[in-house]
Amino acid sequence: MSKQAVVGILAHVDAGKTTLAEAMLFCAGRIRKRGRVDDGDSHLDTNAIERERGITIFSSQAVFDHGDTRVMLVDAPGHVDFSAEAERTLRALDYAILVVGANDGVQGHTETLWRLLARYDIPTFIYINKIDLENPGRDVLLAQLGQRLSEGCLDANELLAGGAAWEDAAALDEAALEEFLETGELSVATLSRMVAERRLFPCFAGSALKDQGVGELLDGMCTLMREQAWPPEFAARVYRVSRGVRGERLAWVKVTGGTLHAKQMIDGRSGAEAWEQKVDQVRIYNGEKYELAQEVAAGGICAVTGLAHVRPGDALGAEPGCDAPVIAPVLTYTVLPGEHDVHAVFKALAELTDEDPMLGVSWNTHLEQIHLQLMGAVQLEVVQRVLADRFDLSIEFEPGGILYKETISRPVEGVGHFEPLRHYAEVHLRLEPLPAGSGVQFGTVTSADELDLNWQRLALTNAMERDHLGVLTGSPITDVRITLAGGRAHAKHTEGGDFRQATYRAIRQGLMQAREAGAAVLLEPWYRFELEVPGECVGRALSDATRMSAEYEPPTMAGDRAKLVGRVPASEVQDYALEVAAYTSGRGHLYLEFAGYAACHDGERVIEAAAYEPEADLPNTPDSVFCAHGAGYTVKWYDAPACGARKGRSRHLPPLASSRRRVFRPHVTKGQFLCHMLLV
C-alpha cells in the first residue's frame, strides 16, 4: 500500500453510521454479507448490548484496502450518552467521516461532533446519508452544511470532476486562488492539502442501505487523503481500554512514532504513577475477530495485552501529554448494592472506571454511599447490564442528581499543621481562582532553602492524589490554582504521611476562609440548547425557557418553525425533551450540548438542601494538630494561623500578587505531572 490512514465514522444517532460502515466494508470486499443494525448482525457492533439496542456504544475497528490505500476504519458511538467514548476515539484518527441524515439535516449533536473534530484538528469528509428518503434536496442540504458547519462544505463530485465548487474552494485559500486564476482549475494535490488543513470538507451523498454513493465516497476519500510522516522514536496513545472474550485486559492504541513490537517493554505514566511493562500480544481487530501481529508501524492502530496500568488518554513512550477531555458527565447516581457486599460492588465499579475514566466512582464517607457519575439513562442501563453479565451483580440506582462543583472567586491563603507527638509538617498554600474549565492546577514558589525539594514534591504529590471537596456542599473543587507557598519539616520527626495530613488540612483551611469571606462559589453544569418548535408554540417555548432560568437569544423564524438558542442549567432541563414532544405533538425538537460549569442559578437552595457541615466531615477536616507538653491537640481552622504564629512556627506569607512574580516552576494539572519541577 502506498498510503494508510485511520478513518473514524461519526454521526448523531440514527443517521445510518453503522450501516455506512457495513456498506464500505462490503464494497471493499472485506465482508461477503452486509449485516443490519435492525437484525442485530452488523459487523462492527460486536457487543451483545449494542446488538440488542441497535446503537453503537463502544468504538470498534476494521481494516480494508481500497486501491492503493489501507483504511483502518473506526466506528465511534453515536448516542449522546457515549459522547465521551467518541471523543477519546478522536485522538486515534487521521481523518473522519461525519454522517448527516438527509431526512434530519444537521442536528444539535452533529454540531457537537463538529466542534470536537475542530478541537482535535481532524480533516473531515461528509456523507449525506438516506438521500432516498424524503428530504429538502441536495442543494438545500449543502447550503445548510455551509451555514451550520463551514463554508468549506462543498460538493465532492464537483471538486474532483471540475465545476462551480472549484471557484468556491479557491476563495478559501490564497495559494489555491492563485492556482485557480492561473490555470482555471485546482489540482488533486491542492485539494488534498486543503482537506488536510481543514479548509475544505468534501461532501458526498447517497444511501448506505442501498449502496448509493458508497463507492464514490471510497474513491474520493482515498484520492484526497495524504500519507502522514511520523517520527522515528516510539510513541503511542491509548484511546480505549476494554476486556476480551476471556476477560483479558485490552489497551487500544494508536502508534504515533516508531514501531510497536510484541514483547516490547513500554514505559508510560498514569496520573502521577510512572510504570514499565511488557506488551504481550499485538492484535489487529476486524469486528470481533482478530489476527496476531508481530509489529505495528507508526500510523497504525491495534489492541495489546499485558499493559495493566494504562487508562484511556494515557501517553506511551515519547508521546506528549494532552488536555483533559471536553465532554464530562453531569449526573450523579447513588448505588443501591442490595444484598451484595458493598466492597465487591465498589471494586467492580472501580474496574469499570479503569476502562472509562468518565465513570467517576466515589465513596461518600459522610453518607456511607457509593456515588457514580454518568452522562444519562442509557449509559446507566449499560452499566447495570455489564455489572450483571461480568460480575454477576444485580444493582439498582437511585434517580440521578446533578453533579455540582465548587470554586473560589478570590485568592486565599491556607495553612495546615500536623504536629502530634514525634510528627511534624507545616504547609502553606495559596489558592487562586482560574478561568472556567481550567480544572485544578498545582505548582510551587517555595525556595529549596526553606523546604527541601523532596518535601515539596511530596506535598504536591499529596495534593494531586485525590479530589478535594468544597465546603459549601461537599462537591469537588475545580478552576483553582493551588500553589505551595511555604512549609517546614523536622530533620528527625517528619515522616511522609505528615505532609499528606498537613496538605489536606491546608487546602480545606483555605476553602473555609474563602467561605467565611463570601468567596466560595457553587457551580452547576449548563447545557447549550437549541429548541425548534412550530411557530404557534413559540410562546410556550419562551415561557418555559424563562421558567428554567435559561439565557437565550431572541427566537428566529424559518418558514413556519421557530428556533430558540441559548444555555440552560442542566438541573432544569433533564426531562424537558418529553414535554417538548408533548406540547408540539411530536413536531418539536430539543438538542442539548454540555457547555461547562458556571455559577449555580439557585445556589442558596442547593446549599440549604445539602445541609453539608464541613467541620463535621472528619476525613476532610480543616483543623490543624499541634503538640504541647508531649501530647497532640486539635486547633480549629480559624485559630490555626494565629496559633502557629504564637509558637513561632508559621511565617508571614508575601502578598498574593507576588505569586505571579515568584513562580519559577510552572503549574501543572494531574495529567501533566511530568513537569520538570517534580523531577529535579
Side-chain angles (χ1 to χ4, degrees):
M1 296 293 108
S2 65
K3 57 184 176 182
Q4 67 173 14
V6 180
V7 181
I9 306 184
L10 301 100
H12 66 83
V13 70
D14 291 332
K17 172 177 57 63
T18 302
T19 302
L20 175 60
E22 295 287 317
M24 293 173 69
L25 293 173
F26 181 77
C27 185
R30 186 67 195 185
I31 58 177
R32 296 181 178 179
K33 178 182 178 295
R34 290 185 304 169
R36 290 285 304 275
V37 174
D38 295 339
D39 296 337
D41 62 353
S42 57
H43 185 69
L44 293 179
D45 282 345
T46 60
N47 186 275
I49 308 174
E50 294 178 311
R51 291 177 171 174
E52 290 174 11
R53 298 192 64 97
I55 59 175
T56 302
I57 298 172
F58 309 104
S59 62
S60 56
Q61 74 173 60
V63 181
F64 65 86
D65 298 331
H66 186 78
D68 65 347
T69 303
R70 171 153 292 177
V71 177
M72 290 159 281
L73 190 67
V74 179
D75 186 15
H79 195 283
V80 65
D81 277 15
F82 306 100
S83 299
E85 171 93 3
E87 182 180 1
R88 288 192 294 269
T89 301
L90 295 185
R91 300 183 188 275
L93 303 185
D94 300 314
Y95 289 86
I97 302 171
L98 182 64
V99 184
V100 178
N103 55 332
D104 295 327
V106 176
Q107 303 286 292
H109 190 50
T110 309
E111 293 184 303
T112 299
L113 294 171
W114 184 260
R115 279 187 280 269
L116 287 173
L117 289 166
R119 171 183 170 87
Y120 294 108
D121 197 28
I122 298 173
T124 304
F125 301 96
I126 296 174
Y127 182 77
I128 304 172
N129 193 24
K130 302 185 180 182
I131 204 73
D132 55 319
L133 302 182
E134 183 178 351
N135 65 83
R138 185 166 179 151
D139 291 341
V140 174
L141 290 168
L142 284 169
Q144 184 186 71
L145 291 169
Q147 181 181 10
R148 299 278 295 274
L149 302 183
S150 168
E151 60 181 349
C153 297
L154 300 175
D155 189 297
N157 292 334
E158 291 189 2
L159 288 171
L160 291 167
W166 270 352
E167 185 175 351
D168 294 333
L172 303 172
D173 180 79
E174 185 174 342
L177 180 59
E178 291 181 5
E179 178 182 332
F180 181 71
L181 292 176
E182 290 178 4
T183 66
E185 59 184 31
L186 294 178
S187 66
V188 170
T190 296
L191 295 173
S192 298
R193 175 184 61 80
M194 294 179 67
V195 171
E197 293 175 354
R198 283 187 54 84
R199 298 176 185 271
L200 189 60
F201 307 96
C203 300
F204 302 83
S207 171
L209 185 62
K210 297 183 178 180
D211 282 332
Q212 296 176 3
V214 178
E216 290 82 353
L217 170 64
L218 286 172
D219 290 342
M221 180 180 70
C222 292
T223 297
L224 294 173
M225 290 192 306
R226 299 198 302 182
E227 180 68 13
Q228 185 170 342
W230 302 96
E233 185 178 2
F234 170 73
R237 179 165 298 283
V238 181
Y239 66 92
R240 184 189 174 204
V241 173
S242 67
R243 297 280 170 172
V245 293
R246 296 181 179 84
E248 68 275 26
R249 195 172 192 269
L250 299 175
W252 300 73
V253 302
K254 166 71 174 290
V255 183
T256 56
T259 303
L260 172 65
H261 300 274
K263 310 304 180 182
Q264 177 179 340
M265 294 299 296
I266 300 291
D267 61 279
R269 185 174 289 272
S270 298
E273 178 186 4
W275 51 264
E276 184 179 34
Q277 284 191 306
K278 183 171 70 174
V279 169
D280 187 8
Q281 294 181 338
V282 177
R283 302 178 179 181
I284 307 297
Y285 271 85
N286 278 285
E288 59 187 347
K289 298 180 180 180
Y290 66 86
E291 299 174 354
L292 294 180
Q294 289 303 308
E295 63 180 35
V296 174
I301 55 176
C302 60
V304 301
T305 62
L307 301 183
H309 295 289
V310 296
R311 305 184 74 192
D314 282 356
L316 307 179
E319 179 74 2
C322 60
D323 295 333
V326 175
I327 295 174
V330 298
L331 300 176
T332 178
Y333 291 80
T334 300
V335 180
L336 304 177
E339 61 182 15
H340 300 292
D341 179 68
V342 67
H343 300 289
V345 174
F346 187 86
K347 182 179 179 181
L349 288 170
E351 183 174 315
L352 297 185
T353 304
D354 189 48
E355 300 168 15
D356 183 358
M358 291 295 102
L359 286 178
V361 179
S362 60
W363 171 255
N364 187 308
T365 305
H366 183 64
L367 300 175
E368 296 188 344
Q369 295 174 337
I370 301 174
H371 289 173
L372 184 66
Q373 299 171 18
L374 294 168
M375 295 291 292
V378 176
Q379 189 183 21
L380 178 63
E381 292 179 28
V382 171
V383 170
Q384 285 181 298
R385 176 66 178 274
V386 172
L387 288 171
D389 292 349
R390 189 192 298 182
F391 304 100
D392 196 26
L393 295 172
S394 179
I395 303 299
E396 298 295 329
F397 297 84
E398 283 189 342
I402 295 298
L403 179 62
Y404 293 95
K405 295 187 179 183
E406 298 183 29
T407 189
I408 57 177
S409 60
R410 67 187 189 203
V412 292
E413 296 169 351
V415 59
H417 292 260
F418 187 70
E419 308 173 15
L421 184 62
R422 297 188 179 89
H423 293 269
Y424 186 92
E426 176 185 337
V427 170
H428 296 261
L429 297 175
R430 181 171 293 125
L431 279 63
E432 299 169 277
L434 289 174
S438 300
V440 183
Q441 299 180 8
F442 303 85
T444 180
V445 295
T446 304
S447 168
D449 294 334
E450 178 181 351
L451 185 65
D452 287 346
L453 287 177
N454 65 310
W455 294 124
Q456 293 189 42
R457 286 194 292 267
L458 182 60
L460 288 175
T461 299
N462 295 151
M464 293 182 185
E465 68 187 4
R466 63 182 286 186
D467 289 331
H468 299 280
L469 304 184
V471 294
L472 298 176
T473 63
S475 301
I477 63 171
T478 189
D479 302 334
V480 175
R481 185 197 310 272
I482 298 177
T483 303
L484 180 62
R488 290 184 180 180
H490 192 282
K492 181 179 179 181
H493 296 308
T494 298
E495 298 180 359
D498 299 345
F499 268 95
R500 174 179 288 106
Q501 288 291 331
T503 300
Y504 289 175
R505 293 164 192 265
I507 292 174
R508 291 285 284 186
Q509 199 268 350
L511 294 173
M512 289 296 291
Q513 290 194 79
R515 176 181 173 175
E516 187 79 4
V521 181
L522 183 66
L523 305 176
E524 68 177 336
W526 287 65
Y527 285 128
R528 293 187 187 91
F529 75 89
E530 189 174 293
L531 177 59
E532 292 185 3
V533 297
E536 64 269 20
C537 299
V538 68
R540 166 68 185 270
L542 290 170
S543 175
D544 288 348
T546 301
R547 172 178 56 82
M548 294 187 294
S549 301
E551 300 171 359
Y552 54 89
E553 301 172 1
T556 58
M557 298 296 298
D560 61 349
R561 297 184 65 79
K563 179 188 292 187
L564 197 62
V565 177
R567 67 173 196 155
V568 62
S571 60
E572 297 288 344
V573 77
Q574 291 187 70
D575 299 320
Y576 185 60
L578 299 177
E579 291 186 42
V580 172
Y583 76 73
T584 63
S585 300
R587 294 180 295 160
H589 300 282
L590 176 66
Y591 309 111
L592 299 173
E593 174 192 349
F594 179 57
Y597 277 78
C600 185
H601 77 288
D602 58 347
E604 291 185 4
R605 181 196 64 79
V606 174
I607 293 171
E608 182 178 354
Y612 178 67
E613 294 292 343
E615 295 182 68
D617 187 353
L618 297 183
N620 297 284
T621 180
D623 302 333
S624 284
V625 177
F626 286 83
C627 184
H629 307 296
Y633 64 98
T634 299
V635 173
K636 298 300 292 182
W637 64 270
Y638 43 79
D639 287 333
C643 183
R646 287 196 300 271
K647 291 179 174 291
R649 297 174 186 172
S650 292
R651 60 165 183 69
H652 177 68
L653 295 178
L656 285 164
S658 69
S659 67
R660 290 180 176 82
R661 298 192 299 271
R662 294 185 62 219
V663 170
F664 58 93
R665 302 183 182 106
H667 283 76
V668 297
T669 62
K670 292 181 182 178
Q672 298 169 324
F673 201 56
L674 289 170
C675 170
H676 72 275
M677 183 279 296
L678 298 173
L679 299 177
V680 174

